[in-house]
Amino acid sequence: MNPQTEISTPGALLDAKGNLARPGFSRSLVQDYRRADVKVSPLRIKEWDYYLINNGRFALALTVADNGYMGLDSVSLLDFEEGWEITKSPMSFLPLGKKHLPETSVTGDVHSAARGYGLHFIHEGEKRVLIAYMDKFGESALSARVELTECPEDSLVIATPFDKPGHFYYNQKIVGFRAGGYVNYNGKTYTFEPSDSFAVLDWGRGVWTYENTWYWSSAAYVLPSGTPFGWNLGYGFGDTSAASENMLFHAGTAHKLGGIKFEIPGEAEGRERFTEPWKFTSDDGRFEADFVPVLDRASCTDVKLIKSDQHQVFGKFTGKAVLDNGTIVEFSDFPGFAEKVSNKW
């Protein structure tokens, strides 16, 4: 089991050479990311904001990404009860920072629009407002407005180096916003109620190596006691010797975990069966769960030099977790997702 290096004092994320000054994890953005401090070509800088709102019956995912040579704006609507999903992801050429994504998740708005669609992530005091519209989305236009409130006090922030100078990933996962709002699509209104709808923000800034694979899982819901509970789990890329990105969130407070393993049926043979039940195991016995898939949001983009093979699998988690003080938390049919993504980018 690796030691966990927690960073609690403020400072610059990168040193004078553009390398991570202090690899490890924190509970907020105590290290300051500044795009001007990155020493590699702007073609290699990758920045994104990704929000997912989920209540176990349907979900909405919104992405604005500036990946240097390629920009991507994405909207996904998923209906788990009817068993379908639609994803539309307009791309742009050579944004090179022109999307002006904020250097922190705490302040600043995100706006990205082109012909026939728009995405807007706005800070309004203590809440965040997510607005999306797309004129051509499946069988009709789509419009959405969701307000995120009750931002948890703790989040998972990790500074991960790669084995290549100037390459790093600085990532914050805020798990467990309360979400209220709607999506209008194809004559139907999907309504998110704050009582059972939760959101996660994946805020990423960094310089990635060309070829890598990541595993990521997140879930949030309420326990029978009414207490909010959720997690962030992940691994697969970079040098994680300083810290893992595995963390529980109980009533908004973080509880750090060691190593987690995603056990995907058929993966050992290279023929993953993503829609069969998965298992999650931990090296310290603090997280054990069964995952029953409901829907695989699969996509594969392959243009030779650039390839992205994605399986974001949504379903229900049942298992137990152990908090830092030894308290055992049992959860059943928790809505969430687990994914495996392989990129050449």
Side-chain angles (χ1 to χ4, degrees), residues 1 57 76 102 116 180:
M1 185 169 62
R57 300 183 303 280
S76 294

Side-chain angles (χ1 to χ4, degrees), residues 130-205:
L130 312 180
I131 298 170
Y133 67 89
M134 192 167 282
D135 292 344
K136 295 181 180 179
F137 185 85
E139 297 180 11
S140 78
L142 174 144
S143 62
R145 188 181 192 278
V146 181
E147 293 187 359
L148 307 185
T149 57
E150 297 183 32
C151 180
E153 182 176 348
D154 288 346
S155 63
L156 181 280
V157 178
I158 189 163
T160 303
F162 291 92
D163 187 21
K164 189 174 183 180
H167 287 62
F168 67 93
Y169 184 46
Y170 191 43
N171 182 218
Q172 181 183 36
K173 302 284 188 10
I174 303 178
V175 177
F177 290 101
R178 295 278 184 166
Y182 66 85
V183 182
N184 287 327
Y185 170 67
N186 201 25
K188 183 175 180 179
T189 298
Y190 297 83
T191 303
F192 292 107
E193 299 289 352
S195 59
D196 68 354
S197 301
F198 293 87
V200 57
L201 167 62
D202 174 15
W203 183 92
R205 306 290 187 267

Side-chain angles (χ1 to χ4, degrees), residues 70-107:
M70 179 268 289
L72 181 143
D73 302 320
S74 185
V75 177
S76 294
L77 179 64
L78 306 100
D79 188 319
F80 305 125
E81 294 179 330
E82 294 188 3
W84 57 261
E85 66 89 14
I86 298 172
T87 297
K88 299 295 181 183
S89 303
M91 295 183 185
S92 57
F93 185 57
L94 292 176
L96 295 172
K98 297 187 188 73
K99 287 183 177 286
H100 302 294
L101 294 179
E103 295 182 328
T104 175
S105 70
V106 179
T107 60

Side-chain angles (χ1 to χ4, degrees), residues 7-13 22 28-32:
I7 300 160
S8 56
T9 54
L13 177 71
R22 295 176 295 170
S28 63
L29 293 173
V30 296
Q31 299 192 86
D32 296 325

Side-chain angles (χ1 to χ4, degrees), residues 230-293:
W231 59 78
N232 184 83
L233 310 174
Y235 62 98
F237 61 89
D239 179 358
T240 56
S241 58
S244 77
E245 56 181 297
N246 302 318
M247 186 175 276
L248 305 172
F249 301 96
H250 186 266
T253 300
H255 300 258
K256 193 69 182 65
L257 300 177
I260 301 289
K261 174 68 175 175
F262 294 27
E263 298 181 6
I264 306 172
E267 185 176 42
E269 298 79 35
R271 295 188 298 274
E272 294 95 336
R273 301 186 298 277
F274 288 103
T275 57
E276 294 183 8
W278 303 21
K279 281 191 175 294
F280 288 73
T281 58
S282 55
D283 61 9
D284 54 10
R286 291 184 56 192
F287 188 91
E288 307 291 327
D290 294 315
F291 174 55
V292 178

